[in-house]
Amino acid sequence: ITADDIPDTEIEGYTFDYWKIGGQQTQIKDWVDYEVKGSVQVLAYFKINTYKAVFYAGEGAWLDADNNPTIKSVTLEFDYEAEITAPTSNPVLTGYHLDPIMPWGEELGYMDIEDVEFYANWKPNTYTITYVVEGDSKEIDLKYGQKLQLADGVVTDDTVKPGYTFSGWTADGGTTVVA
């Protein structure tokens, strides 16, 4: 038998590893002339391919060993047709969180026959601001980075208390702003 006598040995997602002839333990990597002395079974052995899934943090980062956000991507390897799983820790970005429904912008799915990339799907955090004037309160929600507009029907700098001059807002350490 020569290599020309052997059928195609390609299987998607796998790489040919070696041949075995009959029940022999001998592995044959490359065919040289093999003398046939009777009926034999030639078995092809394959190993599964491994591909990379790269997760990019975008504007965020994963924490390094010193707890600093410096790692911009994480690469994981998966066997062909294995379920892709996200890194065990999430990247961080001040004022943002990963979208709880689609944190990597798309379904992770199963590994195909090529490397894949995923990108963090950041959503701004929402904060509740509570205004308190003379015991009356009103709440508004603001997204991270959004500017606080006091004239949006909540209260204004013209808020007056008889006998006092309005001098500004103070925060009680939480999300309550008190006049």
Side-chain angles (χ1 to χ4, degrees), residues 59-179:
E59 295 296 316
W62 280 270
L63 301 178
D64 62 19
D66 295 324
N67 224 21
N68 296 314
T70 61
I71 302 168
K72 298 304 280 179
S73 67
V74 171
T75 300
L76 302 175
E77 292 188 352
F78 296 93
D79 289 344
Y80 171 66
E81 293 187 326
E83 183 174 5
I84 300 170
T85 56
T88 55
S89 65
N90 285 329
V92 294
L93 177 59
T94 300
Y96 291 82
H97 62 277
L98 287 176
D99 183 328
I101 297 170
M102 196 70 67
W104 295 102
E106 60 184 282
E107 292 292 330
L108 300 182
Y110 293 86
M111 187 53 76
D112 203 353
I113 58 169
E114 61 187 6
D115 295 343
V116 293
E117 297 178 340
F118 298 97
Y119 297 87
N121 187 14
W122 296 108
K123 299 292 180 190
N125 292 342
T126 300
Y127 302 97
T128 300
I129 308 299
T130 305
Y131 294 93
V132 180
V133 178
E134 289 298 302
D136 293 327
S137 65
K138 183 169 183 175
E139 293 183 349
I140 62 169
D141 289 333
L142 296 174
K143 293 188 186 304
Y144 177 78
Q146 187 176 357
K147 300 291 183 196
L148 182 62
Q149 301 295 324
L150 295 179
D152 286 343
V154 179
V155 287
T156 68
D157 288 345
D158 296 329
T159 300
V160 176
K161 180 177 178 182
Y164 292 84
T165 301
F166 181 79
S167 62
W169 298 97
T170 60
D172 68 358
T175 58
T176 302
V177 178
V178 181

